[in-house]
Amino acid sequence: MFKRVLIANRGEIALRILRACHELGMEAVCVYSKADADAPYLKLADRAICIGEAPSKDSYLNISRIISAAEIADVDAIHPGYGFLSERADFSEVCRDCKIEFIGPSPEAMGKLGDKVEAKRYAKAAKVPVFPGSEGAIEEEQEAVEVAAEIGYPVIIKAAAGGGGRGMRVCRNEATLRTNIAKAQQEALAAFGNGAVFVEKFLEDARHVEVQVLGDKHGHAVHLWERDCSMQRRHQKVVEEAPGPLIERKKIQGVCEAAAKLVKSAEYAGAATVEFLMDKDQNFYMLEVNTRVQVEHPVTELITGVDIVKQSILIAAGEPLPFKQKDIKVNGHAIECRINAEDPDRDFMPSAGKIETWELPGGPGVRIDSHVVPGYYVPPNYDSMIGKLIVHAETREAALTRASRALSEFNVGPIKTTIPLHKRLMRNAAFARGGVDIHFLERLLKG
Ligand code: ADP
């Protein structure tokens, strides 16, 4: 078992991992940039090491500085959290070379599932439903045109190494496809260091449904059912929930089982999320596999009772999964609201600065994952998420009521946050009916 773990991240997820380490009896070493020198969770760490200046490339994305900190602190393992270095196969490899356990998949397994083209190949073999489209990367413009003619327009060009909603182009006819292929390849090369692109069917109206899976080093993989993350703005999730409302259970069960099979077939150890778009007839099409713990993992924890972060640490330490698929039972409904330091009234302009008022909700079924305390200064250098409110109740209706109640107790100032938006969403009639699509929020904000 690990004695000491380094957390190569910041903010709420750093604190989430620190808490898991302490509950497992492990020491937690935090790294921080100069912008985070006063972060309150550093006081809870067994050791905190400054790794550089505020810009991520000089600190949280700097592999040699993180490895140096790991060696100085003599840690057994590194947890990368989400974002930053979490999906970098080269980082996983450097850890292995330095004999430090990377809490996440091996570079090989990450290569198989983290690359969208490769993942699609494995998915087909595991009978995970994928979008109709090109088999592998597109080399020539003509190839793309032929694929599109076969599957029909609209199509979307995507980068094999893409992420963060970047490098995608929707093409509604052959002329646009022809003019966009070479551009997309150049753009992908510049942005991701890998120019491979592929073409798939573009789905106009869909819901985002994803499956949480845990794989261990002994060839087991168990899914923890699905989450619906359709409430999005600019491809960024705003609200997530589990289970997905109005989804036929038999259908989703098949998809979840296939997702677990996919993870197993890649000999993948750790937490993975298989993301899908679901059309009106509840057909599923795989988008990609995220090879790390996700922001929205708590909703799954609340409905299954499985601590995903602790499990990811135990898996890396070589422990077999302590449960089988049949042991995973869904209990009630959970909803997460991402609290961002942004002003919803000013086009979500980032609202960095000092938080004077920070009054948290409480009571039954309310969980707050946040590193913020009163007096905390939100640095302008990083992601604007400052915490998550997650509620759990017996039914979806009760969870919505509970979320509204909790939000009414949640006071933050003087910085602006997305709390007022969440209050509005939790009372929205269409959201309450369930099954809103991924463009719902943008339509609501426009209207
Ligand atoms: P990234 O890794 O950049 O997040 P994804 O493949 O997960 O890329 O896609 C991000 C978003 O782009 C999806 O949530 C969806 O809104 C849209 N998208 C991607 N592929 C398609 C598609 N084939 N049809 C419709 N929308 C798509």
Side-chain angles (χ1 to χ4, degrees):
M1 196 50 65
F2 304 138
K3 183 165 173 268
R4 198 173 297 127
V5 173
L6 181 133
I7 301 163
N9 215 300
R10 63 175 300 281
E12 73 88 17
I13 194 65
L15 177 54
R16 171 73 186 87
I17 298 164
L18 179 148
R19 286 173 169 154
C21 290
H22 284 174
E23 287 185 13
L24 289 169
M26 297 171 187
E27 290 176 22
V29 177
C30 284
V31 293
Y32 64 93
S33 75
K34 286 187 181 164
D36 285 328
D38 297 323
Y41 57 88
L42 298 178
K43 291 201 282 282
L44 301 175
D46 297 276
R47 186 165 179 182
I49 300 176
C50 182
I51 50 165
E53 301 294 325
S56 305
K57 66 171 180 25
D58 302 321
S59 46
Y60 300 107
L61 282 174
N62 191 308
I63 293 179
S64 51
R65 293 200 179 154
I66 290 172
I67 294 292
S68 304
E71 295 197 321
I72 289 167
D74 193 21
V75 301
D76 306 297
I78 297 183
H79 200 308
Y82 53 67
F84 296 121
L85 295 171
S86 61
E87 293 185 277
R88 290 265 300 269
D90 57 337
F91 182 53
S92 171
E93 197 167 349
V94 170
C95 291
R96 184 163 69 188
D97 291 347
C98 297
K99 310 248 176 320
I100 299 168
E101 201 63 46
F102 176 78
I103 301 176
S106 65
E108 292 76 22
M110 209 190 272
K112 289 174 193 168
L113 297 188
D115 178 288
K116 292 182 196 205
V117 169
E118 277 295 295
K120 221 166 161 171
R121 254 197 272 278
Y122 278 88
K124 275 190 184 162
K127 299 220 159 42
V128 170
V130 296
F131 279 101
S134 53
E135 299 272 340
I138 294 275
E139 303 290 340
E140 301 287 331
E141 187 184 305
Q142 191 53 31
E143 240 178 287
V145 171
E146 280 163 23
V147 169
E150 201 185 307
I151 62 178
Y153 289 89
V155 299
I156 181 167
I157 312 174
K158 294 165 75 169
R166 291 178 307 151
M168 295 184 290
R169 286 158 186 255
V170 180
C171 305
R172 297 188 181 274
N173 53 53
E174 186 181 320
T176 2
L177 179 63
R178 282 192 187 275
T179 53
N180 275 298
I181 280 286
K183 277 189 210 157
Q185 285 168 330
Q186 285 157 11
E187 217 176 75
L189 186 62
F192 311 113
N194 171 357
V197 301
F198 61 103
V199 169
E200 67 187 19
K201 181 83 188 158
F202 179 73
L203 204 56
E204 299 279 1
D205 231 349
R207 285 167 64 186
H208 176 113
V209 178
E210 59 186 34
V211 179
Q212 176 72 59
V213 184
L214 288 171
D216 69 15
K217 293 183 177 175
H218 307 273
H220 310 120
V222 168
H223 71 78
L224 304 179
W225 297 97
E226 85 284 9
R227 298 185 281 259
D228 184 319
C229 316
S230 301
M231 194 66 84
Q232 303 184 355
R233 186 181 158 269
R234 297 197 178 156
H235 298 313
Q236 296 294 315
K237 296 162 187 165
V238 175
V239 175
E240 301 97 340
E241 61 181 305
L246 310 177
I247 303 179
E248 201 192 308
R249 296 321 295 172
K250 257 216 143 60
K251 217 165 217 173
I252 190 68
Q253 184 174 349
V255 174
C256 290
E257 283 166 4
K261 212 165 124 197
L262 166 63
V263 166
K264 191 173 157 156
S265 74
E267 297 176 332
Y268 181 107
T273 299
V274 187
E275 295 192 330
F276 296 90
L277 288 183
M278 182 184 85
D279 70 15
K280 284 205 170 66
D281 301 319
Q282 305 209 342
N283 295 305
F284 288 79
Y285 307 93
M286 188 181 87
L287 274 175
E288 62 168 339
V289 182
N290 284 318
T291 56
R292 54 172 168 80
V293 66
Q294 285 195 276
V295 173
E296 59 271 25
H297 74 275
V299 290
T300 301
E301 295 187 323
L302 292 179
I303 64 158
T304 60
V306 175
D307 187 318
I308 293 169
V309 176
K310 264 193 209 168
Q311 277 310 321
S312 69
I313 297 170
L314 293 170
I315 288 166
E319 291 289 309
L321 287 173
F323 40 70
K324 297 214 160 47
Q325 191 62 61
K326 66 171 173 28
D327 303 324
I328 305 298
K329 301 271 186 305
V330 171
N331 172 26
H333 199 95
I335 301 176
E336 173 178 280
C337 299
R338 294 193 189 194
I339 313 299
N340 294 349
E342 293 170 356
D343 188 350
D345 290 333
R346 288 201 187 154
D347 200 30
F348 295 85
M349 195 164 71
S351 183
K354 191 172 174 186
I355 297 179
E356 307 279 0
T357 307
W358 180 254
E359 292 168 7
L360 293 178
V366 174
R367 166 172 165 180
I368 302 283
D369 279 18
S370 174
H371 58 296
V372 172
V373 297
Y376 177 76
Y377 180 86
V378 182
N381 314 78
Y382 311 107
D383 189 87
S384 63
M385 198 181 74
I386 53 171
K388 305 175 308 205
L389 163 70
I390 315 107
V391 299
H392 184 223
E394 260 166 46
T395 62
R396 184 169 189 266
E397 202 186 349
L400 283 169
T401 308
R402 182 158 280 168
S404 281
R405 187 271 292 168
L407 287 161
S408 73
E409 296 173 15
F410 205 160
N411 286 321
V412 183
I415 66 152
K416 300 288 182 204
T417 72
T418 46
I419 290 173
L421 172 71
H422 286 299
K423 285 182 176 165
R424 190 175 157 200
L425 292 177
M426 295 305 124
R427 287 192 309 256
N428 181 281
F431 182 55
R433 284 194 293 276
V436 300
D437 69 80
I438 50 178
H439 307 294
F440 173 84
L441 180 55
E442 288 186 345
R443 282 195 305 270
L444 185 79
L445 293 169
K446 255 190 229 146

Coordinates of all heavy atoms in Angstrom, one line a residue, residues 242-243 299 302-304 330-336 364-367 390-405:
A242 N -27.4 11.9 -12.0 CA -27.4 10.4 -12.2 C -28.6 9.9 -11.4 O -28.8 10.4 -10.3 CB -26.1 9.8 -11.7
P243 N -29.3 8.9 -11.9 CA -29.2 8.3 -13.2 C -29.8 9.3 -14.2 O -30.3 10.4 -13.9 CB -30.2 7.1 -13.1 CG -30.6 7.0 -11.7 CD -30.4 8.3 -11.0
V299 N -21.8 12.6 -8.4 CA -23.2 12.2 -8.5 C -23.2 10.7 -8.6 O -24.2 10.1 -8.0 CB -23.9 12.8 -9.7 CG1 -24.2 14.3 -9.5 CG2 -23.2 12.6 -11.1
L302 N -22.7 9.3 -5.0 CA -23.9 9.4 -4.2 C -25.0 8.3 -4.5 O -25.6 7.8 -3.6 CB -24.5 10.8 -4.2 CG -23.6 11.9 -3.6 CD1 -24.3 13.2 -3.8 CD2 -23.3 11.6 -2.2
I303 N -25.1 8.0 -5.8 CA -26.2 6.9 -6.1 C -25.7 5.5 -5.9 O -26.5 4.6 -5.8 CB -26.8 7.1 -7.5 CG1 -25.8 6.9 -8.6 CG2 -27.5 8.5 -7.6 CD1 -26.5 6.6 -9.9
T304 N -24.3 5.3 -6.0 CA -23.8 3.9 -5.9 C -23.2 3.6 -4.5 O -23.0 2.5 -4.2 CB -22.8 3.6 -7.0 OG1 -21.7 4.5 -6.8 CG2 -23.4 3.7 -8.4
V330 N -28.2 1.0 -7.7 CA -28.5 2.4 -7.8 C -29.5 2.8 -6.7 O -30.5 2.2 -6.6 CB -29.0 2.8 -9.2 CG1 -29.5 4.2 -9.2 CG2 -27.9 2.6 -10.2
N331 N -29.1 3.9 -6.0 CA -30.0 4.3 -4.9 C -30.3 5.8 -5.1 O -29.5 6.7 -4.9 CB -29.3 4.1 -3.6 CG -30.0 4.7 -2.4 OD1 -31.2 4.9 -2.4 ND2 -29.3 5.0 -1.3
G332 N -31.6 6.1 -5.4 CA -32.0 7.5 -5.5 C -31.5 8.3 -6.6 O -31.1 7.7 -7.7
H333 N -31.4 9.6 -6.5 CA -31.0 10.5 -7.6 C -30.1 11.6 -7.1 O -30.3 12.1 -6.0 CB -32.3 11.1 -8.2 CG -32.1 11.7 -9.6 ND1 -32.4 10.9 -10.7 CD2 -31.6 12.8 -10.0 CE1 -32.1 11.7 -11.8 NE2 -31.6 12.8 -11.4
A334 N -29.1 11.9 -7.9 CA -28.1 13.0 -7.5 C -28.0 14.0 -8.5 O -28.0 13.7 -9.7 CB -26.8 12.3 -7.1
I335 N -27.8 15.3 -8.1 CA -27.7 16.4 -9.1 C -26.5 17.2 -8.6 O -26.3 17.5 -7.4 CB -28.9 17.3 -9.1 CG1 -30.1 16.4 -9.6 CG2 -28.7 18.4 -10.1 CD1 -31.5 17.2 -9.6
E336 N -25.6 17.6 -9.6 CA -24.5 18.5 -9.2 C -24.6 19.8 -10.0 O -24.9 19.8 -11.2 CB -23.2 17.8 -9.7 CG -22.0 18.7 -9.5 CD -20.7 18.0 -9.9 OE1 -20.1 17.2 -9.1 OE2 -20.2 18.2 -11.0
P364 N -29.7 17.4 5.3 CA -29.7 16.1 4.7 C -29.4 16.1 3.2 O -30.0 17.0 2.5 CB -31.1 15.5 5.0 CG -31.8 16.5 5.8 CD -31.0 17.7 5.9
G365 N -28.6 15.2 2.7 CA -28.4 15.0 1.3 C -27.7 16.1 0.6 O -27.8 16.2 -0.6
V366 N -26.9 16.9 1.3 CA -26.2 18.1 0.7 C -24.7 17.8 0.8 O -24.2 17.6 1.9 CB -26.6 19.4 1.3 CG1 -25.8 20.5 0.7 CG2 -28.1 19.7 1.1
R367 N -24.0 17.9 -0.3 CA -22.5 17.7 -0.2 C -21.9 18.9 -1.0 O -22.4 19.3 -2.0 CB -22.2 16.4 -0.9 CG -20.7 16.3 -1.3 CD -20.4 14.9 -1.8 NE -19.1 14.8 -2.4 CZ -18.6 13.7 -3.0 NH1 -19.2 12.6 -2.9 NH2 -17.4 13.8 -3.6
I390 N -23.6 19.2 -4.6 CA -24.2 18.0 -5.0 C -25.2 17.6 -4.0 O -25.0 17.6 -2.8 CB -23.1 16.9 -5.1 CG1 -21.8 17.4 -5.8 CG2 -23.6 15.7 -5.9 CD1 -20.7 17.6 -4.9
V391 N -26.4 17.3 -4.5 CA -27.5 16.9 -3.7 C -27.9 15.4 -4.0 O -27.8 15.0 -5.2 CB -28.7 17.8 -3.7 CG1 -28.3 19.2 -3.3 CG2 -29.3 17.8 -5.1
H392 N -28.5 14.8 -3.0 CA -28.9 13.4 -3.2 C -30.3 13.3 -2.5 O -30.5 13.8 -1.4 CB -27.9 12.4 -2.5 CG -28.2 11.0 -2.7 ND1 -28.1 10.1 -1.7 CD2 -28.7 10.3 -3.8 CE1 -28.5 8.9 -2.2 NE2 -28.8 9.0 -3.4
A393 N -31.2 12.6 -3.2 CA -32.5 12.4 -2.6 C -33.1 11.1 -3.2 O -32.6 10.6 -4.1 CB -33.5 13.6 -2.9
E394 N -34.3 10.7 -2.7 CA -34.9 9.4 -3.1 C -35.3 9.5 -4.6 O -35.2 8.5 -5.3 CB -36.0 9.1 -2.2 CG -35.7 8.1 -1.2 CD -36.7 7.9 -0.1 OE1 -37.9 7.8 -0.4 OE2 -36.3 7.9 1.1
T395 N -35.9 10.6 -5.0 CA -36.3 10.7 -6.4 C -35.7 11.9 -7.1 O -35.2 12.8 -6.4 CB -37.9 10.9 -6.4 OG1 -38.2 12.1 -5.8 CG2 -38.6 9.8 -5.7
R396 N -35.9 12.0 -8.4 CA -35.4 13.2 -9.1 C -36.1 14.4 -8.6 O -35.5 15.5 -8.4 CB -35.5 13.0 -10.6 CG -34.9 14.1 -11.4 CD -34.9 13.7 -12.9 NE -34.1 14.7 -13.6 CZ -34.6 15.8 -14.2 NH1 -35.9 16.0 -14.2 NH2 -33.8 16.7 -14.8
E397 N -37.4 14.3 -8.5 CA -38.2 15.5 -8.1 C -37.7 16.0 -6.7 O -37.5 17.2 -6.5 CB -39.7 15.0 -8.0 CG -40.6 16.2 -8.1 CD -42.1 15.7 -7.8 OE1 -42.3 14.4 -7.8 OE2 -42.9 16.5 -7.6
A398 N -37.5 15.1 -5.8 CA -37.0 15.5 -4.5 C -35.6 16.1 -4.5 O -35.3 17.0 -3.8 CB -37.0 14.3 -3.5
A399 N -34.8 15.6 -5.5 CA -33.4 16.1 -5.6 C -33.5 17.5 -6.1 O -32.7 18.4 -5.7 CB -32.6 15.2 -6.5
L400 N -34.4 17.8 -7.1 CA -34.5 19.1 -7.6 C -35.0 20.1 -6.5 O -34.4 21.2 -6.4 CB -35.6 19.2 -8.7 CG -35.1 18.6 -10.1 CD1 -36.3 18.4 -11.1 CD2 -34.1 19.6 -10.7
T401 N -35.9 19.7 -5.7 CA -36.4 20.5 -4.6 C -35.3 20.8 -3.6 O -35.0 21.9 -3.1 CB -37.6 19.8 -3.8 OG1 -38.5 19.4 -4.8 CG2 -38.2 20.7 -2.8
R402 N -34.5 19.7 -3.3 CA -33.4 19.8 -2.4 C -32.3 20.8 -2.9 O -31.7 21.6 -2.2 CB -32.8 18.4 -2.1 CG -31.7 18.4 -1.1 CD -31.5 17.1 -0.5 NE -32.5 16.9 0.6 CZ -32.7 15.7 1.1 NH1 -32.1 14.6 0.7 NH2 -33.6 15.6 2.1
A403 N -32.1 20.7 -4.2 CA -31.0 21.6 -4.9 C -31.5 23.0 -4.7 O -30.7 23.9 -4.4 CB -30.8 21.2 -6.3
S404 N -32.8 23.3 -5.0 CA -33.3 24.6 -4.9 C -33.1 25.1 -3.5 O -32.7 26.3 -3.2 CB -34.8 24.7 -5.3 OG -34.9 24.7 -6.6
R405 N -33.5 24.3 -2.5 CA -33.4 24.7 -1.1 C -32.0 25.0 -0.7 O -31.7 26.0 -0.1 CB -34.0 23.5 -0.3 CG -34.1 23.7 1.2 CD -32.9 23.4 2.0 NE -32.6 22.0 2.1 CZ -31.4 21.5 2.5 NH1 -30.5 22.3 2.9 NH2 -31.2 20.2 2.5

